[in-house]
């Protein structure tokens, strides 16, 4: 009630925001015995900073640093030209060695903001996937479990 | 309509009016609905906090009890935070003598805080909060744990205003003038 009525035009960031886990929904899918795809589904009106995005895996090691898409260049008053991501982001993580049947934990560190004028602190999310056996189809993507429930739900 | 139904209808009408009035009041007051309404609540938990400055010196907020204390949670990686801070510097300069004290709590590293403070000629304390400060801000109504988040505490030590997102200067001046 108050959220709807009291939102007012003075609320700098609008009447409603998403929890960071929902604004930047992280999921992971093992595509084959040595390839993982990490994805962020970024809600409309939100963006992630490219240079604040880092992936690592355990206990396996990556074949190389993952190639992040170039993103969209934002001309920032303070930071100059910075690359940001909006919408869907997918990053392939190639393991140094095939690891069929083993559990691999993907760790993603990210930081983003809302166009409404607020920024979220850097967040670290972990998702564990089981690498498929050779020739087997990939398992369904696994989404990060939100650690907090929205006050609105 | 039975007496009971009438009573129920009246109760609903009163409840509706109260809710509407609260909503209108919140709108007039400019209260930010992105935060849990903490107005009037005792800010003892916040004023009881002691945090290090960028040189490691413990700085208890209790030293500013009796003043109108504006606690701003910020970070150098937060553009809207950086945008509003020059206005805080001006307001501190102009209203500091009348009992306003700004305190910045940064979720950031000391060297980055120092660099931005120097750039801004920051004239109020910049304390190092770390991620614990986000948790502290949540206890003060910052339901999303986002930045910038500002809490204004009145002279009696009660929460007068909370704001998620930029606190614009006219609104800030209106609130502070009312509290001084």
């Amino acid at each position: 009630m108050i959220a709807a009525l009291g939102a007012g035009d003075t609320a700098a960031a609008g009447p409603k925001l998403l929890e960071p886990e929902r604004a930047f929904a992280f999921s992971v899918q093992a595509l084959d015995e040595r390839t993982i795809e990490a994805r962020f589904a970024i809600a409309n009106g939100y963006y992630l900073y490219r240079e604040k995005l880092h992936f690592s895996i355990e206990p396996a090691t990556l074949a190389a640093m993952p190639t992040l898409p170039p993103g969209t260049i934002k001309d920032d008053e303070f930071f100059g030209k910075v690359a940001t991501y909006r919408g869907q982001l997918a990053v392939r993580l190639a393991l140094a060695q095939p690891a069929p049947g083993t559990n691999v934990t993907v760790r993603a560190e990210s930081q983003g903001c809302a166009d409404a004028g607020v920024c979220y602190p850097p967040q670290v999310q972990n998702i564990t996937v089981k690498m498929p056996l050779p020739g087997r189809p990939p398992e369904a993507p696994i989404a990060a479990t939100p650690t907090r429930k929205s006050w609105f739900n | 309509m039975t007496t009971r139904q009438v009573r129920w209808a009246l109760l609903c009408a009163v409840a509706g009016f109260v809710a509407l009035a609260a909503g209108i009041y919140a709108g007039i007051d400019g209260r930010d609905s992105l935060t849990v309404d903490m107005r009037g609540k005792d800010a003892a938990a916040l004023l009881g906090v002691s945090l290090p400055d960028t040189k490691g010196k413990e700085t208890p907020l209790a030293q500013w009890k009796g003043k109108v204390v504006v606690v701003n949670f910020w970070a150098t990686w937060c553009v809207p935070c950086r945008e509003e801070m020059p206005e805080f510097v001006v307001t501190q300069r102009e209203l500091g003598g009348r009992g306003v004290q700004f305190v910045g709590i940064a979720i950031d590293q000391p060297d980055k805080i120092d660099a931005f403070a120097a750039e801004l000629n920051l004239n109020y304390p910049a304390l190092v909060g770390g991620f614990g400060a986000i948790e502290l801000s949540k206890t003060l109504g910052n339901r999303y744990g986002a930045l910038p988040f500002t809490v204004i505490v009145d002279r009696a030590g009660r929460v007068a205003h909370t704001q998620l997102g930029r606190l614009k200067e006219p609104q800030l001046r209106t609130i502070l003038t009312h509290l001084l």
Side-chain angles (χ1 to χ4, degrees):
Chain A
M1 187 66 160
I2 290 177
L5 286 165
D9 52 6
T10 51
K16 211 169 169 180
L17 276 176
L18 293 173
E19 302 284 352
E21 304 91 341
R22 286 177 168 78
F24 314 108
F26 178 50
S27 65
V28 161
Q29 185 177 24
L31 300 181
D32 58 39
E33 71 268 27
R34 66 178 303 172
T35 314
I36 296 171
E37 188 166 89
R39 302 187 189 112
F40 276 96
I42 303 165
N44 191 26
Y46 296 78
Y47 57 93
L48 284 177
Y49 284 107
R50 184 178 191 266
E51 67 172 42
K52 299 287 177 76
L53 189 62
H54 304 287
F55 294 101
S56 61
I57 57 169
E58 285 184 349
T61 51
L62 289 168
M65 287 299 285
T67 307
L68 299 178
T72 306
I73 301 299
K74 182 177 191 279
D75 204 356
D76 190 282
E77 184 189 346
F78 295 102
F79 304 134
K81 290 190 190 319
V82 288
T84 59
Y85 297 117
R86 290 176 185 268
Q88 301 294 322
L89 169 69
V91 177
R92 291 280 173 97
L93 308 172
L95 275 57
Q97 302 291 331
T102 64
N103 284 330
V104 174
T105 299
V106 179
R107 179 181 187 273
E109 190 180 334
S110 63
Q111 197 263 308
C113 302
D115 290 333
V118 301
C119 290
Y120 298 89
Q123 66 170 341
V124 174
Q125 290 164 291
N126 293 293
I127 301 179
T128 301
V129 287
K130 189 166 191 174
M131 305 303 288
L133 298 171
R136 293 290 182 87
E139 301 277 331
I142 301 173
T145 313
T147 50
R148 293 186 300 269
K149 283 192 175 168
S150 166
W151 285 74
F152 294 102
N153 292 336
Chain B
M1 212 183 243
T2 64
T3 311
R4 192 176 167 156
Q5 282 172 325
V6 170
R7 267 195 205 146
W8 183 238
L10 273 173
L11 188 67
C12 286
V14 169
F17 178 75
V18 169
L20 186 67
I24 291 168
Y25 175 71
I28 291 167
D29 186 56
R31 188 185 69 84
D32 182 358
S33 67
L34 295 173
T35 62
V36 180
D37 190 357
M38 298 295 284
R39 285 175 301 167
K41 299 266 166 61
D42 193 338
L46 175 62
L47 295 180
V49 164
S50 179
L51 290 167
D53 66 12
T54 57
K55 305 287 179 281
K57 186 184 167 229
E58 281 296 320
T59 310
L61 270 61
Q63 65 189 286
W64 296 298
K65 270 182 191 169
K67 292 193 171 201
V68 174
V69 187
V70 184
V71 180
N72 174 236
F73 294 83
W74 69 284
T76 60
W77 43 261
C78 163
V79 170
C81 303
R82 299 169 72 119
E83 283 172 347
E84 70 178 349
M85 286 170 67
E87 293 176 356
F88 292 173
V89 169
V90 172
T91 308
Q92 177 64 59
R93 189 168 58 233
E94 292 180 6
L95 297 181
R98 292 177 57 194
V100 170
Q101 180 62 55
F102 280 76
V103 182
I105 298 181
I107 294 80
D108 219 321
Q109 297 156 6
D111 55 333
K112 291 184 176 169
I113 297 169
D114 275 344
F116 188 59
E119 192 182 312
L120 214 60
N121 288 321
L122 200 70
N123 55 358
Y124 58 86
L127 308 181
V128 186
F131 283 99
I134 290 287
E135 296 307 314
L136 172 65
S137 77
K138 285 181 185 173
T139 68
L140 294 155
N142 184 10
R143 54 170 55 138
Y144 297 100
L147 298 177
F149 178 69
T150 304
V151 182
I152 302 179
V153 180
D154 68 15
R155 290 188 188 274
R158 296 190 179 278
V159 176
H161 185 87
T162 56
Q163 179 91 21
L164 177 57
R166 191 169 169 183
L167 186 51
K168 298 213 170 79
E169 197 171 13
Q171 189 187 2
L172 174 64
R173 292 294 176 124
T174 303
I175 295 165
L176 293 180
T177 305
H178 178 71
L179 295 174
L180 287 173

